[in-house]
Amino acid sequence: MSHASTTADEILLCARSLIVEGGYNGFSYADISKVVGIRNASIHHHFPGKADLVRTLVARYRQEAETGLAELDRQIADPAERLRAYIGYWEACIADASAPFCICALLASQLPVLPEPVAVEVRAHFRMLSAWLRAVLEDGAGQGRLRLSGAADAEAELFMATVHGAMLSARAYGEPGMFGAVTRPLLERLLA
């Protein structure tokens, strides 16, 4: 979605930024129509309801994340450096405000009010990210590059929660540097 080429892509890109700003209930089709310059009926043509729109958005977001993580796996052999690159990606996005928050982390905080099809996609994103982190941590422990203090699946959840918590802290304090202040000790603890 980095290059909106269709009306549906423009709608999704707009919805993504509105969700980051205000969450699931923080925007309406009227907000999107103003930004994209189309009528509400045009949005309904592509996405009959808000749940359809956000479900599609989260599914695409997860696909983008899977592609990005697979690229890290291909380009960086050292598991410790893969984790560093993952954190570095978010640190840069938060610093330049290009993607200041993982939309799935934000939406996860709203699970009780999300429509079930959206909640299913959010959970799928978490499972995908956790599986990738577990694999990287196991690889790093096997190579002697990372030191785990518990089971890899628990360490993966801890890593993910710390990264998402660091996003919250950076937002709460209005200080992008807070993300690195929270995540650096995590990496230092893991390095063997």
Side-chain angles (χ1 to χ4, degrees):
M1 287 188 339
S2 60
H3 301 291
S5 59
T6 68
T7 301
D9 290 334
E10 290 179 34
I11 292 166
L12 289 166
L13 190 60
C14 179
R16 185 173 180 163
S17 67
L18 291 171
I19 287 171
V20 168
E21 289 174 19
Y24 183 83
N25 291 319
F27 77 98
S28 68
Y29 276 21
D31 298 319
I32 294 171
S33 71
K34 288 177 194 167
V35 173
V36 178
I38 58 174
R39 297 179 340 183
N40 283 6
S42 297
I43 301 169
H44 283 283
H45 169 76
H46 294 285
F47 306 100
K50 187 174 184 178
D52 301 305
L53 168 63
V54 178
R55 182 193 53 75
T56 302
L57 172 62
V58 173
R60 282 196 186 183
Y61 184 84
R62 186 177 72 251
Q63 290 170 342
E64 290 173 7
E66 285 176 316
T67 300
L69 296 173
E71 194 62 28
L72 284 179
D73 289 340
R74 278 191 294 280
Q75 291 182 1
I76 304 172
D78 182 343
E81 292 307 313
R82 265 184 267 156
L83 293 177
R84 191 181 311 280
Y86 174 75
I87 287 177
Y89 166 81
W90 280 113
E91 194 163 18
C93 288
I94 292 166
D96 69 12
S98 60
F101 216 96
C102 169
I103 63 165
C104 288
L106 190 142
L107 289 171
S109 72
Q110 301 174 340
L111 274 175
V113 299
L114 293 179
E116 187 58 22
V118 176
V120 165
E121 291 295 334
V122 170
R123 288 185 192 106
H125 176 83
F126 271 71
R127 282 192 301 276
M128 176 277 301
L129 181 55
S130 179
W132 180 81
L133 288 167
R134 184 182 63 247
V136 173
L137 290 166
E138 287 172 343
D139 189 22
Q143 293 180 25
R145 289 287 294 136
L146 297 173
R147 182 180 53 246
L148 306 185
S149 60
D153 56 345
E155 289 279 347
E157 294 298 325
L158 176 63
F159 192 97
M160 183 168 48
T162 302
V163 169
H164 291 155
M167 291 174 186
L168 282 171
S169 292
R171 179 176 267 193
Y173 289 110
E175 177 53 52
M178 184 60 69
F179 180 83
V182 172
T183 56
R184 268 189 299 281
L186 172 67
L187 278 176
E188 290 168 7
R189 180 185 66 79
L190 286 169
L191 292 174

